[in-house]
Short mmCIF file of all heavy atoms in Angstrom, two decimals:
data_model
loop_
_atom_site.label_atom_id
_atom_site.label_comp_id
_atom_site.label_asym_id
_atom_site.label_seq_id
_atom_site.Cartn_x
_atom_site.Cartn_y
_atom_site.Cartn_z
N PHE C 387 -19.04 3.26 23.65
CA PHE C 387 -18.64 3.40 25.04
C PHE C 387 -19.85 3.88 25.81
O PHE C 387 -20.59 4.78 25.40
CB PHE C 387 -17.50 4.43 25.14
CG PHE C 387 -16.20 3.93 24.53
CD1 PHE C 387 -15.88 4.37 23.23
CD2 PHE C 387 -15.38 3.11 25.24
CE1 PHE C 387 -14.72 3.89 22.65
CE2 PHE C 387 -14.17 2.68 24.63
CZ PHE C 387 -13.85 3.05 23.34
N ARG C 388 -20.01 3.29 27.06
CA ARG C 388 -21.12 3.68 27.93
C ARG C 388 -20.63 4.55 29.06
O ARG C 388 -21.43 5.45 29.51
CB ARG C 388 -21.77 2.42 28.51
CG ARG C 388 -22.55 1.62 27.52
CD ARG C 388 -23.24 0.46 28.17
NE ARG C 388 -24.12 -0.25 27.25
CZ ARG C 388 -25.30 0.08 26.94
NH1 ARG C 388 -25.90 1.12 27.55
NH2 ARG C 388 -26.04 -0.64 26.06
N ASN C 389 -19.43 4.43 29.52
CA ASN C 389 -18.99 5.11 30.72
C ASN C 389 -17.46 5.45 30.56
O ASN C 389 -16.67 5.06 31.43
CB ASN C 389 -19.21 4.24 31.94
CG ASN C 389 -19.14 5.06 33.22
OD1 ASN C 389 -19.19 6.28 33.23
ND2 ASN C 389 -19.00 4.36 34.33
N LEU C 390 -17.12 6.17 29.52
CA LEU C 390 -15.73 6.45 29.30
C LEU C 390 -15.19 7.44 30.28
O LEU C 390 -15.77 8.52 30.49
CB LEU C 390 -15.63 7.04 27.81
CG LEU C 390 -14.21 7.18 27.23
CD1 LEU C 390 -13.54 5.82 27.10
CD2 LEU C 390 -14.27 7.86 25.82
N GLY C 391 -14.02 7.05 30.85
CA GLY C 391 -13.43 7.95 31.86
C GLY C 391 -12.07 8.54 31.42
O GLY C 391 -11.72 9.65 31.89
N LEU C 392 -11.37 7.82 30.55
CA LEU C 392 -10.04 8.29 30.13
C LEU C 392 -9.73 7.82 28.71
O LEU C 392 -10.05 6.74 28.37
CB LEU C 392 -9.00 7.71 31.07
CG LEU C 392 -7.52 7.94 30.71
CD1 LEU C 392 -7.18 9.42 30.86
CD2 LEU C 392 -6.60 7.12 31.64
N VAL C 393 -9.18 8.70 27.94
CA VAL C 393 -8.64 8.40 26.62
C VAL C 393 -7.16 8.64 26.59
O VAL C 393 -6.68 9.71 26.94
CB VAL C 393 -9.30 9.24 25.51
CG1 VAL C 393 -8.72 8.90 24.11
CG2 VAL C 393 -10.79 8.98 25.43
N ILE C 394 -6.40 7.57 26.27
CA ILE C 394 -4.94 7.72 26.13
C ILE C 394 -4.60 7.70 24.62
O ILE C 394 -4.97 6.72 23.94
CB ILE C 394 -4.18 6.58 26.87
CG1 ILE C 394 -4.46 6.67 28.35
CG2 ILE C 394 -2.69 6.64 26.51
CD1 ILE C 394 -4.03 5.44 29.09
N VAL C 395 -3.95 8.70 24.13
CA VAL C 395 -3.53 8.73 22.74
C VAL C 395 -1.97 8.57 22.74
O VAL C 395 -1.35 9.62 22.94
CB VAL C 395 -3.99 9.98 21.99
CG1 VAL C 395 -3.63 9.90 20.55
CG2 VAL C 395 -5.51 10.20 22.14
N ASP C 396 -1.54 7.38 22.51
CA ASP C 396 -0.07 7.20 22.53
C ASP C 396 0.53 7.50 21.22
O ASP C 396 -0.13 7.34 20.16
CB ASP C 396 0.20 5.71 22.89
CG ASP C 396 1.65 5.52 23.38
OD1 ASP C 396 2.31 6.51 23.65
OD2 ASP C 396 2.02 4.33 23.60
N GLU C 397 1.76 8.00 21.20
CA GLU C 397 2.42 8.52 19.96
C GLU C 397 1.48 9.48 19.22
O GLU C 397 1.21 9.37 18.02
CB GLU C 397 2.77 7.33 19.06
CG GLU C 397 3.55 6.22 19.68
CD GLU C 397 4.96 6.63 20.18
OE1 GLU C 397 5.43 7.72 19.82
OE2 GLU C 397 5.60 5.88 21.00
N GLU C 398 1.01 10.46 19.94
CA GLU C 398 -0.06 11.39 19.42
C GLU C 398 0.40 12.14 18.20
O GLU C 398 -0.48 12.65 17.45
CB GLU C 398 -0.50 12.32 20.53
CG GLU C 398 0.53 13.33 21.06
CD GLU C 398 0.73 14.54 20.15
OE1 GLU C 398 -0.26 14.87 19.46
OE2 GLU C 398 1.81 15.14 20.20
N HIS C 399 1.68 12.23 17.97
CA HIS C 399 2.17 12.97 16.83
C HIS C 399 1.99 12.30 15.47
O HIS C 399 2.15 12.92 14.41
CB HIS C 399 3.69 13.23 17.05
CG HIS C 399 4.51 12.04 16.99
ND1 HIS C 399 4.59 11.20 18.14
CD2 HIS C 399 5.24 11.44 15.97
CE1 HIS C 399 5.40 10.16 17.80
NE2 HIS C 399 5.77 10.31 16.50
N GLU C 400 1.68 11.00 15.51
CA GLU C 400 1.74 10.27 14.24
C GLU C 400 0.72 10.66 13.22
O GLU C 400 -0.48 10.78 13.54
CB GLU C 400 1.53 8.76 14.57
CG GLU C 400 2.78 8.05 15.15
CD GLU C 400 3.83 7.94 14.03
OE1 GLU C 400 3.56 8.07 12.86
OE2 GLU C 400 5.02 7.63 14.43
N ALA C 401 1.16 10.80 11.99
CA ALA C 401 0.27 11.10 10.87
C ALA C 401 -0.75 9.96 10.62
O ALA C 401 -1.77 10.15 9.95
CB ALA C 401 1.08 11.42 9.63
N SER C 402 -0.42 8.74 11.07
CA SER C 402 -1.28 7.59 10.85
C SER C 402 -2.65 7.79 11.50
O SER C 402 -3.58 7.08 11.14
CB SER C 402 -0.65 6.30 11.38
OG SER C 402 0.63 6.12 10.92
N TYR C 403 -2.78 8.68 12.43
CA TYR C 403 -4.08 8.96 13.05
C TYR C 403 -5.05 9.68 12.08
O TYR C 403 -6.22 9.73 12.39
CB TYR C 403 -3.91 9.85 14.28
CG TYR C 403 -3.48 9.05 15.52
CD1 TYR C 403 -2.25 9.38 16.17
CD2 TYR C 403 -4.23 7.97 16.03
CE1 TYR C 403 -1.90 8.64 17.30
CE2 TYR C 403 -3.83 7.29 17.16
CZ TYR C 403 -2.68 7.59 17.83
OH TYR C 403 -2.25 6.88 18.92
N LYS C 404 -4.50 10.21 10.97
CA LYS C 404 -5.34 10.94 10.04
C LYS C 404 -5.86 10.00 8.97
O LYS C 404 -5.10 9.32 8.26
CB LYS C 404 -4.56 12.09 9.40
CG LYS C 404 -5.36 12.93 8.41
CD LYS C 404 -6.35 13.78 9.13
CE LYS C 404 -6.88 14.97 8.26
NZ LYS C 404 -7.88 14.56 7.26
N GLN C 405 -7.17 9.87 8.85
CA GLN C 405 -7.83 9.12 7.80
C GLN C 405 -7.74 9.92 6.49
O GLN C 405 -8.08 11.10 6.44
CB GLN C 405 -9.27 8.85 8.18
CG GLN C 405 -10.15 8.34 7.03
CD GLN C 405 -9.85 6.90 6.61
OE1 GLN C 405 -9.13 6.19 7.23
NE2 GLN C 405 -10.44 6.53 5.49
N GLN C 406 -7.27 9.23 5.43
CA GLN C 406 -7.16 9.94 4.16
C GLN C 406 -8.33 9.71 3.24
O GLN C 406 -9.06 10.65 2.89
CB GLN C 406 -5.86 9.54 3.45
CG GLN C 406 -4.60 9.83 4.23
CD GLN C 406 -4.40 11.31 4.52
OE1 GLN C 406 -4.90 12.19 3.81
NE2 GLN C 406 -3.61 11.66 5.53
#
Side-chain angles (χ1 to χ4, degrees):
F387 294 97
R388 289 184 176 275
N389 194 17
L390 189 62
L392 174 67
V393 177
I394 296 169
V395 185
D396 201 8
E397 309 294 348
E398 64 83 25
H399 65 279
E400 280 290 345
S402 306
Y403 280 120
K404 182 72 161 78
Q405 164 73 9
Q406 300 298 339

